[in-house]
Amino acid sequence: MEIVNVLMKRRSEFNRLRGFVDSDFKKLVDMSPDQSTSEQPIHKDQSVQAGQEMSEHETNTVGLEFISHGMNHVEGGWPKDIDHENMEQTIRFRKKAGKNEAYISSILQLGSVMELCIRQNNAIDKYEQYFEDEEEEEENHNAPYAKTMNVLRDPHQVKRTVTSLSWSPDRGRKLAAAYSSVVFQQTSQLSTDSYIWDVEKPSIPEMVLKPPSPLVCLEYNPRVSYTLMGGCYNGQVAYWDTRRGCQTVAYSSVEHSHKDPVYKVIWLQSKTGTDAFSASTDGQVLWWDVRKLSEPTERLILDLSKEGNLGRALGGISLEFEITMPTKFMVGTEEGLIISCNRKAKTPAEKIVCTYDGHRGSVYAVQRNPFLPKNFLTVGDWCARIWSEDIKESSIINTKNGVSELMDACWSPVRPSVFFTVKMNGVLDIWDILFNQSDPTLSVKVCDGGLYSIRVEENGRLVACGSEKGEATLLEISSGLSVPQKNEKSLVAAMFERETKREKILMGRQREIRLKERCRSEQSREEEVVREDGEESPQELLARAEKDFYSMVEVELKRRRKGKDLIQEQVVCEDKQT
Amino acid sequence: MADVEETLKRIQSQKGVQGVIIVNSEGIPIKTTLDNTSTVQYAGLIQQLVLMARSTVRELDPQNDLTFLRVRSKKNEIMIAPGEGRPGTKVRASPQKC
């Protein structure tokens, strides 16, 4: 049945404005249910909203087990009736095969092919190895790169900064990371755990270390690969043995430890392998024997006036100790000075040997060049400086000031001219001073936050850097930066010597100038003594002041002119010398 | 028969040739100048190689066929000439050094 409703309209009324009017409803169509269909209902045992029933199964293919073993080749191919052990039968078979027509023709043909190749072989040895004696020179013209291998993240919710990293001495398979908060007084909710990670397994740490308070620094013992020493935020020092588990084996007593966070701990070379020393911003450097951590074995207060006054001591932030020079060590302080100390001095006053006026801020890292121990690298404020031990006034090489503060640095253990620095803007810089002194050879942005610590592994290829968000990133350096080049050590040594000489000359020049000034000021003092006998009126004073001023200006001008001549003379002398 | 012998003798007399083996399509060495154990070893091992090489060449281009196979190693070189049906002759040669 079609339901049709016809509407009729005059053409002239098209497109006129509609005027809608209310009206009563009209029933157009009424369709009532068909009674016949209700006599045969179809039951569906299902509510309308239900969906199809489905079931889920999981299957996994059966793992196949492979065993590889050799197979014994038994002579095969013989036709069934011939027993291949039987010599007679085989010989007879062979003879029969030899008489086959096809056999003869193919042999003749193949024989000629074979002869050709043999003759070729005998004529020239095609595959000769040329230049066997020369070594393969790997010319890396590729740009240096640093690839991120793995990121080890702090498993806790509240991320803590990775303040210190240490590679395990057994070829760097493990990395120990110390986590703490550098923000003042935030430690209440943070967990105190620090971790040892296995480099291959970035998802969970291999071992958890539980110190009494968060660790600020952590070091593996380079001799005994399963012991670690850590410095805590509350000033205690703790000692672990990884064979014994995650609790500290021993930690120092609170009364005798540092009063401020222990910023650096270094193991010493000793026969027993149990000595270490630590530095902290409370101004002390303490020596410990791990067998008896209740008290430090020795104490040094970083007071420059050599009185042992703790109140005037400088806070130590970084330590440096080189195994080849066991009696000397260096401390980088919060105030920007680097103090070089002698461990074997008899009195505490003599322990502090000299200071280097380093940076405008804390000296975050001090490290000697592993190949040329007379030179060391320091970072602090916005630049990195390289120093020579002999020159105390200034560094021999500075990098220019960067955009953000440098937080940590280390030399590459395989290449004498390469060092790594990390900055607060998350950038890792790799410097090669033989290649380029003004800019880093490679700059890699590792993460968004600041990078707080860096450590290079012994083979020079893997670098671990720790960020403030609790991530320790492992990077692999290209071989160009991790393989030592020829003559590198001598070139770097020559460069350092050259810079040292330059600084010495500059210093000598300055000393001369100062000496002259002193002489002149002594002379003018004598004159003054003579003149001060009578009383002077203000005008006379003024006149005298003017006269003095003009005479000083003239002297200065004369000196400058002489200075220029002297410098020229010196340059000439230098040229003559070299 | 005589030609066959002559051919073999000629090959054998070339410089650097250590031995010659003739193998039929079933892998049975028919004629050889090496000792039995080595012959059997060679025959068994190389047959598979030849079959694989031939099928590779044929698959890449059905019109193509394997003409010669050289296996050069540090100490010596094995040269294989495959015949139709029978894998053919194998020669063991030592490479020259100038």
Side-chain angles (χ1 to χ4, degrees), chain A residues 521-540:
Chain A
S521 64
E522 277 180 20
Q523 276 183 2
S524 62
R525 234 180 287 140
E526 285 175 18
E527 287 179 23
E528 273 190 35
V529 167
V530 166
R531 234 180 284 142
E532 262 176 18
D533 291 340
E535 272 198 51
E536 292 170 326
S537 65
Q539 272 112 349
E540 280 178 52

Side-chain angles (χ1 to χ4, degrees), chain A residues 77 94 115 120-122 125, chain B residues 10 29-30 70 72 96:
Chain A
R94 284 201 176 107
E115 260 198 83
Q120 270 181 358
N121 259 7
N122 292 338
D125 185 13
Chain B
R10 233 177 333 140
I30 307 283
R70 282 196 206 225
R72 202 169 169 103
Q96 301 290 330

Side-chain angles (χ1 to χ4, degrees), chain A residues 457-503:
Chain A
E457 206 234 320
E458 271 167 29
N459 65 6
R461 287 209 77 139
L462 281 180
V463 172
C465 31
S467 75
E468 68 182 311
K469 305 243 178 73
E471 299 170 349
T473 313
L474 293 170
L475 297 123
E476 189 187 338
I477 313 287
S478 65
S479 51
L481 288 169
S482 56
V483 169
Q485 317 281 338
K486 292 183 258 193
N487 302 331
E488 199 178 313
K489 186 167 168 189
S490 47
L491 286 172
V492 176
M495 173 195 263
F496 285 157
E497 257 191 61
R498 188 183 71 215
E499 297 295 323
T500 316
K501 217 161 69 166
R502 175 182 68 99
E503 283 297 322

Side-chain angles (χ1 to χ4, degrees), chain A residues 332-520:
Chain A
T333 61
E334 268 188 317
E335 285 79 8
L337 293 166
I338 299 138
I339 306 176
S340 162
C341 308
N342 185 342
R343 211 185 143 197
K344 294 283 183 238
K346 309 255 171 35
T347 64
E350 280 172 34
K351 285 229 169 135
I352 298 179
V353 171
C354 59
T355 65
Y356 301 86
D357 189 4
H359 291 268
R360 284 185 223 100
S362 311
V363 179
Y364 284 109
V366 184
Q367 200 192 5
R368 283 184 201 262
N369 188 328
F371 295 85
L372 303 161
K374 281 212 139 207
N375 302 89
F376 58 95
L377 167 73
T378 63
V379 286
D381 63 55
W382 293 270
C383 64
R385 289 173 199 254
I386 300 181
W387 303 74
S388 159
E389 263 193 342
D390 313 318
I391 312 276
K392 303 196 183 14
E393 264 101 61
S394 72
S395 58
I396 57 177
I397 300 178
N398 308 359
T399 66
K400 57 183 186 203
N401 287 337
V403 286
S404 52
E405 291 103 355
L406 270 68
M407 296 305 289
D408 200 357
C410 58
W411 289 98
S412 160
V414 290
R415 286 196 64 186
S417 67
V418 172
F419 63 91
F420 302 84
T421 57
V422 285
K423 295 215 229 140
M424 275 303 273
N425 58 358
V427 171
L428 162 71
D429 285 331
I430 307 178
W431 298 77
D432 183 351
I433 32 182
L434 280 182
F435 185 68
N436 189 345
Q437 286 90 30
S438 49
D439 284 312
T441 308
L442 181 62
S443 263
V444 181
K445 183 145 169 79
V446 174
C447 65
D448 289 327
L451 284 173
Y452 271 84
S453 54
I454 179 170
R455 200 48 76 95
V456 185
E457 206 234 320
E458 271 167 29
N459 65 6
R461 287 209 77 139
L462 281 180
V463 172
C465 31
S467 75
E468 68 182 311
K469 305 243 178 73
E471 299 170 349
T473 313
L474 293 170
L475 297 123
E476 189 187 338
I477 313 287
S478 65
S479 51
L481 288 169
S482 56
V483 169
Q485 317 281 338
K486 292 183 258 193
N487 302 331
E488 199 178 313
K489 186 167 168 189
S490 47
L491 286 172
V492 176
M495 173 195 263
F496 285 157
E497 257 191 61
R498 188 183 71 215
E499 297 295 323
T500 316
K501 217 161 69 166
R502 175 182 68 99
E503 283 297 322
K504 267 198 210 146
I505 294 174
L506 284 177
M507 262 168 48
R509 182 89 195 95
Q510 283 204 359
R511 245 179 264 147
E512 266 184 49
I513 296 174
R514 255 181 275 143
L515 210 58
K516 273 203 205 145
E517 280 287 337
R518 230 178 288 150
C519 289
R520 213 178 318 115

Side-chain angles (χ1 to χ4, degrees), chain A residues 73 75 77-78 94 97-98 103-104 106-108 110-111 113-115 117-122 125 127, chain B residues 1 3 7 10-11 14-15 17 22 26 28-30 40 44 68 70 72 77 79 81-82 86 89 91 96:
Chain A
H73 172 81
E75 241 181 277
W78 293 102
R94 284 201 176 107
Y103 166 81
I104 295 175
S106 61
I107 287 286
L108 288 176
L110 291 180
V113 172
M114 184 64 80
E115 260 198 83
C117 288
I118 295 177
R119 288 221 185 100
Q120 270 181 358
N121 259 7
N122 292 338
D125 185 13
Y127 302 103
Chain B
M1 258 308 284
D3 297 328
T7 317
R10 233 177 333 140
I11 296 179
Q14 294 278 1
K15 190 168 69 154
V17 172
I22 305 183
E26 278 122 31
I28 305 171
I30 307 283
V40 169
F68 203 79
R70 282 196 206 225
R72 202 169 169 103
E77 180 174 356
M79 304 161 72
R86 64 178 69 248
T89 31
V91 177
Q96 301 290 330

